[in-house]
Amino acid sequence: MMRHDEKITPASPTGNGPAPSQNLPVQRPTLSPSIKWLSVLVVLVATAGSIPLLLDFVHASDASTGYAICSPAGKDAIYTVSNDLPQVECFSVLGNKIQSVGSLAQVKFKWYSSFLLKTILKGTPGQRWDLPIHIIPDGAIVVPGISDSHAHILEFGATQQLPLEGTKTVEETVTRVRNFVLSNSDIFIDKTRLITGGGWDHTVWPNGTLPTMQALDSDPILRGRPIVLQSKDCHALWVSSEALKPSYPLPEEIEGGVIVRDGDKKPTGVLIDNAQELLKQPKLTHDDLLRRFKVTVREAHKHGLTSIHDAGLDPMSLDFFHGQATKGPLPIRIYGMKFFNETAGYTPGIPHILLPERRLQVRSIKIFVDGALRTGGAALYEPYADNPSTSGFMRIDMAVLRDVIPKFLRDGWQVNVHAIGDRANGALLDVFESVLQGINVTALRPRLEHAQMMTKEDMARLGKLGVIASVQPTHAISDMWYAQDRLGPERIKRLYAFRSIINDGARITLGSDFPVESINPLAGFYAAITRLSFEGTSPHGPEGWFPEQRLTRGEALKGMTLDPAYASFTESELGSIEAGKLADFVVLSANIMTVPGNEIMSTKVLTTAIDGEVVYGTL
């Protein structure tokens, strides 16, 4: 970016001649009390309406910690996501906060006013009040720091070791695993080394059949190695026989899950939903976790993410993040959802982890109600169209939900519940409706994680209750190719019905569920406003899959900035570019609010800043 250093040299304290030379002894101002307070009055009158904020900045850091970001001349290229000033020319940053927002003249006035007040009130001698101004490139825009309201941080780092998404057959997937082993000498030499990867998707393979451990065991390079491969939706594990050995004997059945078996009732090597918990794996080391974390943070910053809501921190992950935060501020803001262990049940008095200055907050609980549509575990009212023998399953006893949800809410925990099928969402809304009567929902902000499919009556009930719908638009364009076969032509109309949810008064917040989908938040923005594949196609043609359910660009931007802030109780500090909020912002190479839809995914992140500090790119 271009940088212009705007400098002002204040008059001497007596008003006669230039300011004292930097090489000469500095004298304190000798204003009489009456003149001093008259000057204060003039500045305060001129800045009426922002006096408290201005006084805050009087006591803030000095000018060396500040700068301004501005649009090219004659343009308002900063999208604030604020109703008062939706687009502006400039904003200034002082310390870790946004000082002012508006035109260049307004930003300069606020900047110099704060330092003039500091000089008058504190007697600070004639310091230089430089305001570095960074002009963004022509065609670029600035948006608030982007949040992903539903993702899995360490899991993403794990899948990047061996990504399997995009393979078209079982054989191609096995080949990718084999090539990974052959290209890593330390893994090739040590046959006991656990091999992990993720992203396989059987729905795009011929006949949509699930893989088997035989496919891994029959390869001479992979035979005898422990291999654990996570499915694209993270609701199934495909394992080798060597990886499954420590978990024997397996139970015949497991509630809320499936051990896939062959015609002889023998396990095939695929474990679905709660059955995944049966697999015994080596304990991860701190270095393993740190390596995964660094991979995710690097990719997050690269794509403009400044905050992530981690949807289900198990004790190991929670301890890791807490430990990292005690050493210093995390490199990205994390809003953690504590994983609910049904076996352990409800434990009263568990304290929240609130370390905003260390960028970690854990004040919500994550509960699973059902499985996923892709693997046939989403709980439906009617059987699956392509498998009438099942209507999915609930992963938790409803009696447990009715017992623990009121207790968590009473203890001040936000309750976030994974619910995908219409039966799962309906059952959960029944519980919320029974416990939210007469309660300040705004103070609790319960969330439906995914909210993929609901009856029309439940969509209306969602808005009436004030429950937040945490949705993932990229799931829609991934599932649109197989979903009608699975649900039939009528039920499909209620899948990913984002516009209907908003029209019924509910608040939505956007995420990706990475590593299930791309970590790039622009993919979610694109999917929300187009409902097209990245190639520009859909089962319903170039207008998009059920185009009446598209979001506007303004709704999509708000859904990945201010709405996630609201969903994490941080809307007073994050989510928009407004004076007094923390200085999280992103510079994009193109104007995603106006460019044709097919140009959105070619947009690059030029700068990602957290607390005013650049963590990716440059200013």
Side-chain angles (χ1 to χ4, degrees), residues 382 385 422 453-456 459 483-497 540 545-546 548-549:
E382 301 296 334
D422 52 7
M453 181 178 176
M454 283 183 277
T455 65
K456 292 181 179 179
M459 289 183 201
Q484 183 158 325
D485 290 340
R486 193 144 295 179
L487 297 173
E490 288 305 314
R491 283 187 297 182
I492 193 70
K493 297 174 183 177
R494 298 186 277 108
L495 185 68
Y496 300 112
H540 295 163
W545 184 59
F546 293 108
E548 67 275 10
Q549 296 295 345

Side-chain angles (χ1 to χ4, degrees), residues 270-588:
V270 173
L271 307 172
I272 298 176
D273 287 317
N274 286 355
Q276 296 178 100
E277 299 170 11
L278 299 173
L279 187 69
K280 296 178 181 178
Q281 301 184 58
K283 186 176 181 180
L284 295 169
T285 67
H286 178 271
D287 287 344
D288 291 331
L289 299 175
L290 186 59
R291 183 169 55 252
R292 294 178 178 186
F293 185 39
K294 287 181 176 180
V295 167
T296 305
V297 169
R298 182 185 67 236
E299 290 300 304
H301 288 168
K302 177 182 176 182
H303 290 100
L305 288 173
T306 58
S307 177
I308 300 172
H309 299 189
D310 196 296
L313 296 177
D314 59 26
M316 177 184 63
S317 301
L318 181 56
D319 288 345
F320 170 75
F321 288 130
H322 195 192
Q324 291 299 112
T326 59
K327 298 175 184 177
L330 297 174
I332 196 164
R333 301 189 195 281
I334 297 176
Y335 183 74
M337 307 179 201
K338 192 176 186 299
F339 177 76
F340 173 66
N341 185 333
E342 183 181 353
T343 303
Y346 168 78
T347 303
I350 301 175
H352 299 160
I353 298 174
L354 301 176
L355 300 170
E357 73 286 352
R358 300 298 180 94
R359 302 175 182 168
L360 175 66
Q361 298 196 63
V362 181
R363 57 173 298 176
S364 63
I365 196 81
K366 168 73 177 297
I367 303 174
F368 281 90
V369 170
D370 66 344
L373 187 67
R374 188 179 296 270
T375 44
L380 308 178
Y381 283 120
E382 301 296 334
Y384 281 86
D386 60 350
N387 185 7
S389 67
T390 181
S391 57
F393 49 81
M394 302 289 278
R395 292 179 59 173
I396 190 170
D397 191 313
M398 291 306 301
V400 174
L401 286 182
R402 287 190 289 270
D403 175 57
V404 301
I405 286 180
K407 293 176 180 177
F408 278 118
L409 292 174
R410 186 172 61 245
D411 269 3
W413 285 86
Q414 181 188 45
V415 176
N416 303 343
V417 188
H418 165 112
I420 289 181
D422 52 7
R423 176 159 58 101
N425 280 288
L428 182 59
L429 287 176
D430 286 343
V431 177
F432 277 140
E433 189 168 38
S434 67
V435 301
L436 293 176
Q437 296 293 335
I439 291 178
N440 180 3
V441 179
T442 302
L444 302 173
R445 303 183 191 182
R447 294 167 46 164
L448 284 184
E449 301 300 320
H450 305 302
Q452 285 184 9
M453 181 178 176
M454 283 183 277
T455 65
K456 292 181 179 179
E457 294 76 16
D458 281 341
M459 289 183 201
R461 192 159 52 138
L462 181 72
K464 182 179 179 181
L465 290 173
V467 176
I468 298 167
S470 173
V471 303
Q472 299 77 42
T474 41
H475 283 344
I477 63 172
S478 289
D479 293 358
M480 65 184 177
W481 301 107
Y482 73 85
Q484 183 158 325
D485 290 340
R486 193 144 295 179
L487 297 173
E490 288 305 314
R491 283 187 297 182
I492 193 70
K493 297 174 183 177
R494 298 186 277 108
L495 185 68
Y496 300 112
F498 303 145
R499 168 59 51 206
S500 296
I501 290 174
I502 289 179
N503 288 349
D504 280 325
R507 189 162 191 159
I508 68 170
T509 181
L510 305 186
S512 68
D513 204 9
F514 71 68
V516 178
E517 305 288 355
S518 169
I519 195 172
N520 184 356
L522 293 185
F525 182 89
Y526 168 88
I529 69 168
T530 68
R531 294 178 74 96
L532 291 168
S533 72
F534 298 123
E535 294 73 36
T537 61
S538 83
H540 295 163
E543 291 301 309
W545 184 59
F546 293 108
E548 67 275 10
Q549 296 295 345
R550 292 178 301 195
L551 300 184
T552 67
R553 298 190 191 215
E555 289 169 337
L557 181 60
K558 183 169 174 282
M560 51 200 254
T561 53
L562 190 58
D563 286 324
Y566 176 83
S568 59
F569 302 90
T570 55
E571 74 276 12
S572 63
E573 302 168 333
L574 300 170
S576 59
I577 297 175
E578 296 183 82
K581 287 195 173 185
L582 295 173
D584 291 7
F585 63 88
V586 178
V587 183
L588 300 174

Side-chain angles (χ1 to χ4, degrees), residues 191 194-195 211-219 222-229 237-248 250 266-271 279-280:
K191 290 195 68 172
L194 177 66
I195 299 168
T212 66
M213 57 185 171
Q214 179 61 29
L216 298 170
D217 296 341
S218 62
D219 184 278
L222 303 182
R223 186 181 303 125
R225 297 178 185 270
I227 303 171
V228 179
L229 307 174
L237 292 175
W238 170 22
V239 303
S240 65
S241 58
E242 189 66 24
L244 196 57
K245 279 181 181 178
S247 304
Y248 285 116
L250 296 172
K266 294 181 180 179
T268 65
V270 173
L271 307 172
L279 187 69
K280 296 178 181 178

